[in-house]
């Protein structure tokens, strides 16, 4: 009897309690995540700008100030000046072209090489060491060789970009392809799945999270690769790297720093894009899989 | 030979030595007739799972022969081994896909299997959104799709809590009644083995071989209440005694 009478009161209380109880910590967590994700980076940004001013105004004397002009000068001369801005945008366009060409080629070659290596141990053993060697090549020391074969314009820039961004794609993709568990392989073995089926339905989907992690690292590196390439191969359309070298030689500190920051923003943008793409493609099963 | 030619599944003096020198099985002889549900219990590492791997062709015997008189063998693994990027229905359809069944046939069978394991309404869920018990149901449904005559179970419910395990045991028996397959079920739970099987085979510690073969007389369908009868308890006691002598 007492049980049946207690049930209605319980159920009438329960919805309110259920609605309130989890809501509070969740709201607190949301506020907490705004603080962590927005305010803290902004605070660090403030510290960096402050330190920049300090170095520029207090540490450097006026004759040295061209090395690190204060932020507002960089903004005024490097970005807000119409001619300088449009020069920089066209350089950014060129750098984007080299970056995307290099990254695209890296992804195609890197994934293909990793897929090939995943198919047989002997292929992996023969190719992988050379991927490592490619990564450790002192690219800058090779610039004369590149210009000997490919001149001084866009082609060698793209090649530098590929060499710099290739390795993380190969190694991550290969690692990802090898990450499928033995018991999952057993499922495919039991049903006599062919190589292609196994690759398409097991290895590649299992590799996707690692592949995207590799693409993300490679994306950042490909921007660096493009800029390093432009720094040395100056024929053809000037890119951000070309301008860096020009502004350095002319001691134009404001435009130099504006270009450095633009280059880094480009790197961040490509990095963020691949993070977004990765969440779109594998986020539904991968992120939540880890938590 | 004691192995009958009409067996659905037979092992004749099967031995297995791994590359590292470990001997998993010695001289194991065992036959399972069509429609039988045979459980294998034994101490850890006695080669129970190896027996299944050999029967399915995933591993080769070092000596002796294993034969399965069926084109279609269902294999249910220790953990659910679902592909995490596939939904429940896509996971359930995997074997049908690998065996090139056409789409309409596949969808019909997937729907049937999902209904049979009681996962209706969860077709679009991803494995990480399911409980351990539901993942195991998905894995069962995946094997049921091809309607195999012979089922190999490798401790499928070992990682589940007791309540879920007993419920799945009841449901497995219901499927056994509906589909009428032959089963070889590896477990280290004596209670589970006795409850499910027509026969319980006890294996010795490594290297494994058969040391006892205990028939289970209870008629099917078995009620969950069978677990609380003295006869059931007595039989569990018998099997446990053999097991104690085994290790």
């Amino acid at each position: 009897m007492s049980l049946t009478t207690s049930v209605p009161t319980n159920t009438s209380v329960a919805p309110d309690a259920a609605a309130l109880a989890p809501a509070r910590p969740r709201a607190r967590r949301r506020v907490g995540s705004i603080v962590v994700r927005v305010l803290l980076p902004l605070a660090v940004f403030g510290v960096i700008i402050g330190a920049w001013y300090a170095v520029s105004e207090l540490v450097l004397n006026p004759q040295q100030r061209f090395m690190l002009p204060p932020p507002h000068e960089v903004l005024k001369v490097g970005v807000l000046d119409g001619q300088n801005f449009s020069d920089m945008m066209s350089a950014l366009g060129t750098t984007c072209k080299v970056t995307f060409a290099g990254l695209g080629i890296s992804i195609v070659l890197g994934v293909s090489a990793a897929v090939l290596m995943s198919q047989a141990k002997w292929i992996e053993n023969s190719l992988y060491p050379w991927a490592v060697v490619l990564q450790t090549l002192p690219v800058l020391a090779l610039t004369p060789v590149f210009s000997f074969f490919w001149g001084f314009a866009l082609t060698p820039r793209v090649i530098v970009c590929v060499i710099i961004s290739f390795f993380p794609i190969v190694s991550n993709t290969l690692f990802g392809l090898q990450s499928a568990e033995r018991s999952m392989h057993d499922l495919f073995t039991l049903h006599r799945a062919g190589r292609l089926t196994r690759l398409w339905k097991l290895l590649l989907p299992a590799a996707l999270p690692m592949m995207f992690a590799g693409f993300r690292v490679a994306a950042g590196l490909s921007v660096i690769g493009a800029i390093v390439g432009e720094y040395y191969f100056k024929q053809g359309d000037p890119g951000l790297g070309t301008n860096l070298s020009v502004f350095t030689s002319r001691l134009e500190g404001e435009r130099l720093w504006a270009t450095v920051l633009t280059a880094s923003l480009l790197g961040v943008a490509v990095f963020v894009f691949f993070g977004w793409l990765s969440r779109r493609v594998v986020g539904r099963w991968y992120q939540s899989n880890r938590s | 030979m004691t192995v009958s030619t009409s067996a659905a599944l037979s092992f004749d003096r099967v031995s297995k030595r791994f590359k590292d020198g470990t001997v998993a099985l010695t001289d194991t002889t065992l036959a399972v007739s069509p429609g039988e549900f045979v459980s294998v219990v034994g101490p850890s590492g006695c080669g129970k799972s190896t027996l299944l791997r050999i029967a399915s062709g995933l591993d080769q015997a070092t000596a002796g022969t294993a034969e399965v008189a069926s084109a279609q063998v269902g294999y249910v693994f220790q953990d659910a081994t679902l592909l995490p990027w596939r939904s429940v229905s896509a996971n359930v359809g995997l074997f049908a896909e690998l065996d090139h069944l056409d789409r309409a046939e596949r969808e019909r069978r997937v729907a049937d299997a999902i209904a049979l394991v009681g996962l209706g309404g969860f077709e679009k869920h991803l494995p990480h959104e399911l409980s351990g018990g539901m993942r195991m149901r998905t894995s069962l449904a995946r094997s049921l799709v091809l309607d195999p005559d012979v089922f190999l179970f490798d401790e499928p419910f070992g990682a589940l809590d007791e309540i879920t395990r007993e419920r799945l045991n009841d449901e497995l028996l219901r499927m056994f009644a509906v589909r009428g397959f032959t089963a070889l079920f590896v477990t280290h739970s004596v209670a589970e083995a006795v409850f499910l099987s027509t026969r319980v085979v006890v294996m010795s510690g490594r290297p494994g071989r058969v040391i006892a073969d205990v028939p289970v007389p209870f008629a099917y369908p078995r009620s969950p209440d069978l677990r609380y009868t003295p006869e059931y308890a007595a039989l569990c006691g018998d099997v446990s005694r053999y097991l104690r002598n085994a290790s």
Side-chain angles (χ1 to χ4, degrees):
Chain A
M1 267 329 249
S2 62
L3 253 178
T4 44
T5 50
S6 77
V7 169
T9 45
N10 256 350
T11 44
S12 68
V13 169
D16 299 48
L20 284 176
R24 265 192 217 127
R26 209 179 296 152
R28 199 174 303 144
R29 210 178 308 143
R30 202 174 303 138
V31 171
S33 83
I34 288 171
V35 169
V36 170
R37 298 179 55 122
V38 180
L39 292 182
L40 288 183
L42 278 181
V44 174
F45 180 71
V47 170
I48 290 171
I49 295 293
W52 184 346
Y53 269 113
V55 173
S56 186
E57 309 277 5
L58 304 176
V59 178
L60 299 175
N61 62 45
Q63 288 82 46
Q64 298 171 318
R65 200 154 292 153
F66 69 91
M67 285 160 44
L68 186 67
H72 64 270
E73 287 294 323
V74 170
L75 196 66
K76 200 174 86 190
V77 180
V79 183
L80 299 179
D81 178 285
Q83 183 56 46
N84 288 353
F85 182 73
S86 76
D87 281 356
M88 187 155 75
M89 284 304 112
S90 90
L92 177 63
T94 307
T95 303
C96 283
K97 235 187 285 173
V98 174
T99 302
F100 299 150
L103 184 59
I105 293 172
S106 268
I107 288 179
V108 171
L109 289 183
V111 171
S112 309
V115 164
L116 212 59
M117 289 183 218
S118 75
Q119 294 303 299
K121 205 73 198 166
W122 67 267
I123 303 181
E124 184 188 338
N125 289 338
S126 3
L127 292 186
Y128 194 77
W130 299 107
V132 176
V133 168
L134 191 64
Q135 186 216 12
T136 55
L137 277 183
V139 180
L140 297 187
L142 286 175
T143 48
V145 182
F146 290 173
S147 54
F148 181 76
F149 283 105
W150 296 294
F152 291 91
L154 288 179
T155 313
R157 298 184 195 172
V158 172
I159 287 169
V160 169
C161 185
V162 170
I163 291 178
I164 289 186
S165 61
F166 181 72
F167 186 74
I169 297 176
V170 175
S171 62
N172 276 43
T173 305
L174 183 60
F175 188 60
L177 290 169
Q178 292 169 341
S179 73
E181 291 164 29
R182 187 177 101 139
S183 56
M184 291 184 180
H185 275 284
D186 285 346
L187 298 176
F188 285 75
T189 309
L190 278 172
H191 290 267
R192 294 168 209 86
R195 259 173 202 281
L196 272 180
T197 310
R198 194 182 292 255
L199 180 66
W200 193 245
K201 297 194 168 171
L202 176 63
L203 300 188
L204 280 173
L208 277 177
M210 289 299 300
M211 281 166 73
F212 273 109
F215 294 169
R216 210 143 51 133
V217 174
L221 288 175
S222 69
V223 175
I224 296 176
I227 284 167
V228 168
E230 288 163 352
Y231 209 94
Y232 287 92
F233 305 109
K234 294 198 183 95
Q235 280 176 11
D237 301 333
L240 293 175
T242 326
N243 287 356
L244 283 178
S245 123
V246 172
F247 298 150
T248 309
S249 62
R250 290 195 207 143
L251 307 184
E252 287 187 79
E254 293 84 1
R255 299 186 71 184
L256 177 66
W257 280 98
T259 306
V260 166
L261 294 179
T262 307
S264 119
L265 278 182
L266 174 60
V268 170
V270 201
F271 186 84
V272 167
F273 169 75
F274 274 97
W276 170 83
L277 194 64
S278 162
R279 276 193 304 279
R280 288 281 310 193
V281 177
V282 299
R284 224 188 127 217
W285 63 270
Y286 187 68
Q287 290 291 348
S288 31
N289 210 26
R290 278 188 304 186
S291 63
Chain B
M1 264 307 83
T2 51
V3 176
S4 89
T5 45
S6 64
L9 182 62
S10 64
F11 299 90
D12 187 11
R13 304 175 142 270
V14 166
S15 299
K16 175 71 184 176
R17 175 196 292 274
F18 287 109
K19 273 188 207 135
D20 65 2
T22 318
V23 180
L25 291 168
T26 47
D27 254 1
T28 303
T29 298
L30 173 67
V32 183
S33 305
E36 261 194 310
F37 197 119
V38 175
S39 286
V40 180
V41 292
S44 309
C46 76
K48 307 186 291 284
S49 301
T50 308
L51 211 54
L52 299 189
R53 292 185 68 85
I54 289 173
S56 67
L58 283 175
D59 267 345
Q60 303 303 317
T62 320
T65 53
E67 273 175 48
V68 183
S70 164
Q72 211 44 263
V73 177
Y75 200 122
V76 181
F77 288 87
Q78 226 156 19
D79 44 30
T81 57
L82 304 176
L83 304 180
W85 52 89
R86 283 185 172 227
S87 68
V88 166
S89 57
N91 263 299
V92 171
L94 177 71
F95 291 165
E97 219 175 289
L98 294 179
D99 281 19
H100 308 290
L101 267 63
D102 66 68
R103 178 180 284 271
E105 175 71 4
R106 207 162 70 206
E107 280 170 3
R108 194 183 58 74
R109 286 179 179 230
V110 166
D112 278 0
I114 286 180
L116 188 61
V117 300
L119 275 178
F122 290 94
E123 288 85 351
K124 298 269 175 289
H125 283 60
L126 289 171
H128 73 85
E129 298 165 330
L130 304 175
S131 67
M134 289 164 88
R135 280 202 280 268
M136 210 58 234
R137 284 167 198 265
T138 311
S139 173
L140 281 176
R142 180 175 62 194
S143 295
L144 285 165
V145 156
L146 292 178
D147 204 5
D149 311 314
V150 175
F151 256 101
L152 305 171
F153 295 97
D154 190 1
E155 295 184 41
F157 309 135
L160 303 176
D161 63 88
E162 179 127 359
I163 299 168
T164 312
R165 175 193 278 233
E166 288 191 356
R167 182 170 306 152
L168 282 172
N169 284 169
D170 293 336
E171 295 194 14
L172 182 57
L173 282 190
R174 193 169 49 79
M175 293 168 208
F176 179 57
V178 173
R179 295 284 175 101
F181 46 78
T182 305
L184 186 60
F185 189 100
V186 164
T187 175
H188 41 226
S189 157
V190 171
E192 182 176 61
V194 173
F195 183 74
L196 292 173
S197 318
T198 52
R199 198 144 64 85
V200 177
V201 168
V202 182
M203 289 182 69
S204 68
R206 184 182 294 158
R209 76 202 141 73
V210 176
I211 54 168
D213 197 329
V214 185
V216 182
F218 312 121
Y220 295 92
R222 291 179 182 171
S223 141
D225 291 331
L226 174 65
R227 295 190 182 90
Y228 310 105
T229 62
E231 294 81 6
Y232 171 79
L235 204 53
C236 287
D238 288 349
V239 174
S240 298
R241 254 187 307 282
Y242 284 120
L243 206 49
R244 265 200 303 283
N245 297 333
S247 33

